[in-house]
Amino acid sequence: MKKNLLLIVVLVFGGALSLYTLDKAKTKKLHTPPELLATVDGDKVAYQIRSFERDGIIIVESKKEDPITKVNPRTKLLIDFAEEPESFIVSEIDNFGDEEDFIRTEDWNTFSFREYALGNSVGYKSYVIHAKWVNGKEATYSFKLDVKQLVSYQGLLPREHENSALIILGKSGVSPVNFDENKYDLSPIHTMDADGKLPSGYPELKIESTPTYIIFDYTQEVFRTDDDEELIKYLESMQSKE
């Protein structure tokens, strides 16, 4: 009889403890910001939670400096959450000293594409993400990426699926192509008048004479010539492929 009573007591206590533990875990989950799963090429991005609220009541608020993660150019930023939100907004900010410029804001829902190409632009990019959940939770996350410069001519490279040009003119200072007509789909176009002195800012390109005409794709040099007619033929062939 005593054994049965003890067993009942143990079972009741164990059940109560389990209910308490589950309730506590549930309460903690409701009052804990869902984890942001931001990665660049599979590596986790360090972030901070700027604010978190539940049913309009602020639970977490921070004004710390955003953590910085160094990343390579032409990589992909992927955004996801441990707990799927009802909707979220991503703002990308370019940093120029103390000034911030909002250059991209996307309102992405659960069916949206959550991938962003970082491109060739060197320097800091900040991201602010505001997410909402159906259970009354709202959170704002932020982080900063530092895009590395891997080669000296990285700033000459175009956006994905585009082409750019570096035109280094000789003593005549005259380009064989009138790029102002926007006839050729090149962006950006960098024109330099060497005036007898070769540019030294792009050592990997090994520019040894003028004129020199170089065409780039998203990742590298794809064409080079010192002949005006060859340049025009190549540009015409680019047009025919479009």
Side-chain angles (χ1 to χ4, degrees), residues 36 38 45 48 50 66 77 79 81 87-95 100-108 113-114 116 118 124-131 139-145:
L36 174 67
V45 171
Q48 72 158 322
R50 285 196 180 183
D66 289 334
L77 168 64
I79 295 173
F81 300 84
S87 65
F88 64 100
I89 295 175
V90 179
S91 294
E92 180 195 25
I93 308 162
D94 264 359
N95 295 93
E100 294 185 335
D101 181 24
F102 283 81
I103 63 172
R104 175 185 171 98
T105 298
E106 295 289 347
D107 190 353
W108 287 333
F113 198 53
R114 307 177 185 202
Y116 178 58
L118 297 177
Y124 293 113
K125 289 182 178 292
S126 295
Y127 294 83
V128 178
I129 302 169
H130 184 76
T140 301
Y141 311 82
S142 61
F143 55 86
K144 185 179 289 186
L145 301 180

Side-chain angles (χ1 to χ4, degrees), residues 59-98:
I59 300 172
V60 176
E61 193 168 25
S62 174
K63 295 182 180 179
K64 296 179 182 178
E65 290 289 326
D66 289 334
I68 299 172
T69 301
K70 289 183 176 292
V71 297
N72 288 326
R74 302 182 297 278
T75 46
K76 303 287 186 182
L77 168 64
L78 299 178
I79 295 173
D80 206 347
F81 300 84
E83 184 181 336
E84 185 66 27
E86 181 182 22
S87 65
F88 64 100
I89 295 175
V90 179
S91 294
E92 180 195 25
I93 308 162
D94 264 359
N95 295 93
F96 304 97
D98 295 330

Side-chain angles (χ1 to χ4, degrees), residues 15 22 53 61 71 103 110 127 129 145 153 175 188-189 201 211 216 239:
L22 288 171
E53 59 184 72
E61 193 168 25
V71 297
I103 63 172
T110 55
Y127 294 83
I129 302 169
L145 301 180
Y153 61 87
S175 171
I189 299 171
F216 303 93
Q239 276 191 312

